[in-house]
Amino acid sequence: MQLVEFLAPHFAFVSDPTAWVALLTLVVLEIVLGIDNLIFISILTNKLPEAQRARARRLGISAALIMRLVLLATISIIVQLTTPVFTALGHGFSWRDLILIAGGLFLVWKATKEIHHTVDPQDHQDSIVGGTLQMSLAGAIFQILLLDLVFSIDSIITAVGMTDEITIMYIAVIVAVSVMMLAATPLANFIARNPSIVMLALGFLLMIGMTLIADGMGYHVPKGYIYAAMGFSALVEGLNMLARHRRKRGSGGGH
C-alpha cells in the first residue's frame, strides 16, 4: 500500500489526455534523436571482432540508458546547463553549447578519419579506429560513452522542453532506448553487409557533427531538415542498391 501511495502522484497524468499526447510525441522524438547515436554505435562496433560486436552494442546502449536516467535524476542541474557562462562573438555560450561543440568536433574528426580509411584501403594499417584492424572493446565503449553523453544531454533538454512531468520523461527515455536496443544489431548487420551504406552513414555522422557545432555556436538547424536530408539520401542509396541487385541478377541470367 505504501508503494502505491508513493507512486500515485507520479502517475496522476494517466487520466490526462494531453499528457498521453505529450508522452507519445516525446517517445517519437527520443527515438528519432537516438538514430544519430545508433548510427555511430553501429559503425564503431563493426570495427570489433565479430564475437564482441553484440556485447559492445548492448553495453553502449545500456550506458546510454543509464546516462539518460542519471541526467533526468539531476534535471535541475541539466536545465542550468543552458545558462550562458561567457560571451564570445556576440553569442552567450552555455555548458550545453560547449558540450555540443566538443561532441560535434569529435564526430567530424571521427567521420573524416573513417572516410579517409574507407577511400584509401592501403592506409588501414595506420587506422586510428582500426589500428590493429580491430579496435579494443574498451576503446569502443569509451568512444560510445563520449558520444552518449553529448546525445543524452540533447535528449534530456528536448524532454524538458516538451513536458514538466518527470515520469513521462522517464517512460519516454526507457521506451526509446529499448527500441534502440532492438534495432542496433539489424542496423549494424545491414551496414556491414552493404559497403556503400558505410559511406552514407559516415556522411550522416559528418552532417550530424556539423549540426551539433552549429547548434553550439547559436545557429539552430531544425531537426526536420536534417532527417529529411538523411531520408532522401537513404532513398537514393536504396534505389542504387536495387539497381545493382537487378543488374547482377540480369548478368547472372545471361550466363
Side-chain angles (χ1 to χ4, degrees):
M1 278 302 290
Q2 286 182 336
L3 180 62
V4 173
E5 286 172 12
F6 173 75
L7 291 175
H10 298 288
F11 287 89
F13 72 88
V14 295
S15 58
D16 181 2
T18 58
W20 283 98
V21 172
L23 174 60
L24 184 62
T25 307
L26 191 52
V27 166
V28 172
L29 269 177
E30 293 292 326
I31 290 171
V32 170
L33 285 170
I35 292 169
D36 307 346
N37 211 348
L38 205 51
I39 291 171
F40 181 75
I41 289 172
S42 298
I43 287 179
L44 206 58
T45 52
N46 280 346
K47 296 284 179 182
L48 290 166
E50 198 165 346
Q52 294 182 349
R53 290 175 190 174
R55 184 180 169 211
R57 282 192 286 271
R58 281 196 302 272
L59 285 171
I61 295 170
S62 299
L65 175 59
I66 292 165
M67 207 171 284
R68 280 163 167 78
L69 295 179
V70 168
L71 288 172
L72 275 173
T74 58
I75 200 82
S76 57
I77 298 170
I78 297 300
V79 172
Q80 289 171 14
L81 287 178
T82 57
T83 306
V85 288
F86 69 90
T87 303
L89 305 172
H91 173 61
F93 287 88
S94 64
W95 281 112
R96 172 187 175 270
D97 294 334
L98 297 177
I99 291 167
L100 289 182
I101 291 169
L105 287 170
F106 176 74
L107 266 187
V108 168
W109 171 79
K110 191 74 175 168
T112 304
K113 207 72 180 158
E114 284 301 297
I115 288 169
H116 172 68
H117 296 313
T118 305
V119 170
D120 185 6
Q122 300 305 314
D123 198 36
H124 273 204
Q125 53 267 39
D126 305 333
S127 171
I128 288 178
V129 173
T132 46
L133 194 228
Q134 328 271 29
M135 78 182 338
S136 71
L137 180 63
I141 296 298
F142 176 71
Q143 292 186 48
I144 289 170
L145 282 174
L146 278 180
L147 261 295
D148 276 350
L149 177 63
V150 176
F151 289 126
S152 293
I153 286 174
D154 216 24
S155 161
I156 298 310
I157 288 171
T158 300
V160 172
M162 283 292 303
T163 179
D164 295 326
E165 283 282 352
I166 193 77
T167 310
I168 289 178
M169 294 181 205
Y170 271 111
I171 294 170
V173 164
I174 291 167
V175 170
V177 177
S178 301
V179 170
M180 280 174 65
M181 190 74 83
L182 292 171
T185 298
L187 177 64
N189 290 342
F190 181 71
I191 288 174
R193 281 196 311 270
N194 299 279
S196 61
I197 292 291
V198 174
M199 189 62 77
L200 183 66
L202 289 171
F204 288 166
L205 288 184
L206 203 55
M207 181 169 64
I208 292 160
M210 291 303 297
T211 305
L212 289 175
I213 294 168
D215 202 348
M217 297 290 289
Y219 301 98
H220 180 65
V221 182
K223 284 281 193 281
Y225 293 165
I226 303 301
Y227 295 120
M230 288 169 71
F232 179 73
S233 303
L235 177 63
V236 171
E237 182 56 31
L239 291 172
N240 277 331
M241 288 169 63
L242 183 63
R244 282 196 297 269
H245 176 69
R246 293 241 169 121
R247 275 199 300 272
K248 273 184 190 172
R249 202 168 58 182
S251 61
H255 295 302

